[in-house]
Amino acid sequence: MAYTYRLAALLVLISATVGFSSAVSVEHQLLKLNATLFKGNISLNISNSVQKNINLNIVWYGKFTPIQRTVIVDFIRSLNSPAAAAKDPSVASWWKTTEKYKGGASTIVLGKQLLLEDYPLGKSLKSPHLRPLSGKLKGGGVGSITAVLTAKDVTVEGFCMNRCGTHGSKSSTVDGGAYLWVGNSEEQCPGYCAWPFHQPLYGPQTPPLIAPNGDVGVDGMIINLATLLVNTVTNQEAVSTCTGMFGSGAYPGYPGRVLVDKTTGASYNALGLAGRKYLLPAMWDPQTSKCKTLV
C-alpha cells in the first residue's frame, strides 16, 4: 500500500493563477483531494498509551555525498533532541505537534543505515522494488520505519509525474513495520519536488528561495521526508493537508513569510543540531483545526 501527495502541491501551484481570492476554495479542494489520495491506514502496531520509541532505518540507494547524508541524519536526530528543542523555532517543536494526534508522543530513534552505492537494481526502479529495498535492513520489526532514499540519478516509477515519495506498510516477510521512499529531484524535477527552492513548473514564476543547506535536491528531500514521516507516525495526512505552506500568510504559489539567514540569504523556519537550518512544511493541528506553521 503506497501513497502520494505531490498532486496536492500541483493543485496549489495551478490554482495560484486564478487569484488570491480562490485560496479558501482551494483549501477545501485540497482536503477532498487528500481524502481521495490517502485512503487506508499505516498502522505501526505500537501502544497509544505510552511514550513510543520508533526506530527509523535508512537505505541509501545510489551515491550520496557524506555531507548530503549528514544533513538528512542531523534532521532526524533533531526531531527529539533536547538540545535542538532549546532553540526557537526548532525542528523538535515542529515535531511536537504530532503528540496531539491519537497515537500520542513518539520519539524517533536513528536506527541502522545501509549504503547501496552500486545500484544493485539498476538506476530505473519500479514501484514493486521499493518494499523489498526497505527489507534489505533486517531488524527493527513492528513499530519501526525504514526510509528508502534514492539519489539524484535514480528514476522511480511515477517520480516527478505524480509523486515525490510514498509510504506504506511492510509485509510480514520483511519483519513488519512501515516504509517510506523519497527521491532526490535535483536533476529530474526540482520545480515539482523541491519547490520552493526552484521555480515551480506551473503558476507564477516567482524567484525561488535559497536552500538552507545549499543543496536544492537534499533540502527538497527534507521537506518530503518530513511530510511522509509525520503522515506515517500519525496515521493521518497531517502535513499533506497543508501542502505548500511554510510560513504565515502563505497562499497558493507563495510559501509564506519565513526566516532568512543574514549571511547566506537562505530561507528557513526551523533550527536543528550542529547549527543546521531547515525549511519544514506546515502541519495540521487537530486541536485548532488549522495548518500550523513555525513562523
Side-chain angles (χ1 to χ4, degrees):
M1 171 169 53
Y3 302 93
T4 64
Y5 66 89
R6 295 301 288 191
L7 280 178
L10 180 59
L11 177 59
V12 171
L13 294 175
I14 293 176
S15 65
T17 61
V18 178
F20 304 161
S21 62
S22 65
V24 175
S25 62
V26 167
E27 180 179 358
H28 290 297
Q29 290 180 56
L30 283 174
L31 292 173
K32 291 173 64 177
L33 178 59
N34 279 310
T36 301
L37 289 175
F38 310 119
K39 293 178 180 178
N41 295 310
I42 303 294
S43 176
L44 291 178
N45 297 318
I46 43 185
S47 170
N48 291 332
S49 60
V50 295
Q51 177 83 18
K52 305 174 294 291
N53 285 342
I54 300 175
N55 287 325
L56 178 60
N57 306 308
I58 306 177
V59 175
W60 305 92
Y61 190 88
K63 290 181 170 61
F64 289 85
T65 68
I67 293 178
Q68 288 177 323
R69 295 200 300 269
T70 299
V71 169
I72 293 175
V73 167
D74 282 347
F75 164 69
I76 295 170
R77 291 174 57 239
S78 298
L79 290 170
N80 299 110
S81 166
K87 304 173 182 179
D88 186 45
S90 69
V91 173
S93 62
W94 174 82
W95 179 257
K96 194 172 179 63
T97 300
T98 62
E99 296 179 9
K100 300 180 181 181
Y101 282 79
K102 184 178 179 180
S106 60
T107 298
I108 301 297
V109 179
L110 183 64
K112 298 179 180 180
Q113 299 184 57
L114 176 64
L115 300 181
L116 297 178
E117 296 183 310
D118 57 348
Y119 306 90
L121 299 180
K123 294 186 176 182
S124 180
L125 303 180
K126 299 294 184 182
S127 293
H129 289 143
L130 299 176
R131 183 177 282 117
L133 277 175
S134 71
K136 292 286 187 181
L137 267 175
K138 301 301 180 183
V142 175
S144 69
I145 302 173
T146 298
V148 177
L149 307 180
T150 51
K152 62 183 180 181
D153 58 348
V154 177
T155 63
V156 178
E157 184 178 11
F159 187 35
C160 294
M161 297 178 63
N162 56 18
R163 62 180 182 174
C164 304
T166 61
H167 66 142
S169 297
K170 294 169 68 175
S171 69
S172 58
T173 58
V174 286
D175 59 43
Y179 81 94
L180 62 86
W181 156 72
V182 173
N184 185 325
S185 65
E186 177 185 350
E187 295 182 352
Q188 300 180 53
C189 58
Y192 186 48
C193 293
W195 184 85
F197 303 127
H198 191 280
Q199 287 182 304
L201 292 179
Y202 306 95
Q205 297 301 296
T206 54
L209 304 182
I210 297 176
N213 293 286
D215 189 318
V216 169
V218 169
D219 280 304
M221 289 184 78
I222 293 292
I223 294 173
N224 299 322
L225 174 61
T227 299
L228 291 169
L229 187 57
V230 170
N231 290 355
T232 301
V233 169
T234 63
N235 200 23
Q236 300 287 328
E237 299 309 315
V239 175
S240 299
T241 299
C242 305
T243 296
M245 301 175 66
F246 298 90
S248 59
Y251 53 78
Y254 172 61
R257 293 182 288 274
V258 296
L259 303 176
V260 177
D261 186 289
K262 295 180 180 179
T263 302
T264 65
S267 295
Y268 69 98
N269 61 8
L271 300 171
L273 294 175
R276 298 244 178 240
K277 297 179 174 67
Y278 299 98
L279 187 68
L280 301 180
M283 191 186 311
W284 183 262
D285 187 327
Q287 292 183 352
T288 63
S289 296
K290 294 180 180 179
C291 289
K292 180 180 179 181
T293 60
L294 284 172
V295 294

